[in-house]
Amino acid sequence: MNHHDGFREFVLARQQALMRTAYLLTGDAHLAEDLLQSVLIKVAGQWPKLSRGGSPEAYTRKALVNQYISWRRRPRLESPSADPPDRGASYDEAALDRIVLRRALAKLTPKQRAVIVLRFWEDLTEPQTAEALGCSVGTVKSQAHHALTRLRTLTPELTHLLSDSEIREVAQ
C-alpha cells in the first residue's frame, strides 16, 4: 500500500472549496493557486498521519490560513491586486457587491480576513475557527467584531449585506 493512498482523491474532492478559500484569503487568483499548491505539498508530506485518523480538511484549512498570514508578514516586491480580472463590460448588482466587498476584505488585517473567511464563508463555528487559527474563541469573537465593523465603515453601501449570515452569500 502506498503511503499517499487517498491523497489524490482528497485533492480532487476538495480542490474547488480549498481554492475558493485561498482566493478569499489572498484576493488574487494567481496567489491563491500558489498558496494552495504550497499547502498541498505540505499536506502530502503529512498524508500518512492525516489519513490514519487525522482530519485532512481541517489540517489543510489551517495550513492555508497559516501560510497566508506568513506570506503577508514577508515583504514582497509585488503586491496582489484587489481588482478582479476584466471579464466584460456588463455587471449585475450582485457582481458589483462582490467586487466592493472583496476590495474591502483586502483592507482587513490578515487575521481579521482569515476570521471572516473561516466564520462566514467556510461556515465554521467559533471554536472551529479558533482551532484553525490557533487562538482563543474570545480572539475569534473580537476579530470578527472588529472586522465586521471595519467592513461596515469601508462599505456603507453594503451594510444591508454585512449581517453575519449574509456575508457568505455575497462572497460567493
Side-chain angles (χ1 to χ4, degrees):
M1 177 161 49
N2 185 336
H3 69 282
H4 286 100
D5 283 346
F7 178 71
R8 177 179 164 78
E9 290 77 17
F10 166 74
V11 171
L12 290 174
R14 300 304 305 150
Q15 184 174 11
Q16 262 191 320
L18 293 169
M19 185 61 189
R20 279 192 303 263
T21 299
Y23 176 78
L24 287 170
L25 288 169
T26 64
D28 178 271
H30 298 292
L31 281 177
E33 289 173 1
D34 291 346
L35 175 63
L36 182 56
Q37 182 177 18
S38 70
V39 165
L40 288 176
I41 290 168
K42 292 176 183 177
V43 170
Q46 296 298 316
W47 189 253
K49 183 169 44 171
L50 290 170
S51 63
R52 285 190 311 264
S55 177
E57 188 160 355
Y59 179 90
T60 305
R61 191 181 303 113
K62 185 173 184 170
L64 277 170
V65 170
N66 289 341
Q67 186 71 40
Y68 161 71
I69 290 172
S70 173
W71 282 6
R72 292 288 304 225
R73 287 184 182 139
R74 279 189 263 147
R76 291 187 304 273
L77 295 176
E78 60 181 281
S79 61
S81 170
D83 298 324
D86 292 331
R87 302 226 184 215
S90 74
Y91 291 103
D92 60 25
E93 191 171 324
L96 290 174
D97 287 348
R98 285 192 298 273
I99 291 167
V100 170
L101 182 57
R102 286 179 179 155
R103 286 183 178 170
L105 282 172
K107 295 178 182 174
L108 297 177
T109 67
K111 192 119 182 184
Q112 287 175 344
R113 187 170 179 156
V115 166
I116 293 296
V117 169
L118 294 175
R119 283 284 291 127
F120 304 112
W121 171 262
E122 292 290 330
D123 204 23
L124 297 183
T125 64
E126 288 169 342
Q128 289 170 327
T129 302
E131 182 181 335
L133 294 173
C135 65
S136 70
V137 171
T139 299
V140 169
K141 289 179 181 181
S142 172
Q143 292 289 317
H145 171 76
H146 291 301
L148 289 172
T149 300
R150 178 129 171 88
L151 287 173
R152 287 182 182 103
T153 301
L154 291 169
T155 58
E157 68 275 19
L158 298 181
T159 301
H160 65 285
L161 298 174
L162 293 176
S163 73
D164 293 354
S165 61
E166 293 172 324
I167 246 183
R168 189 176 326 107
E169 295 172 19
V170 175
Q172 295 175 359

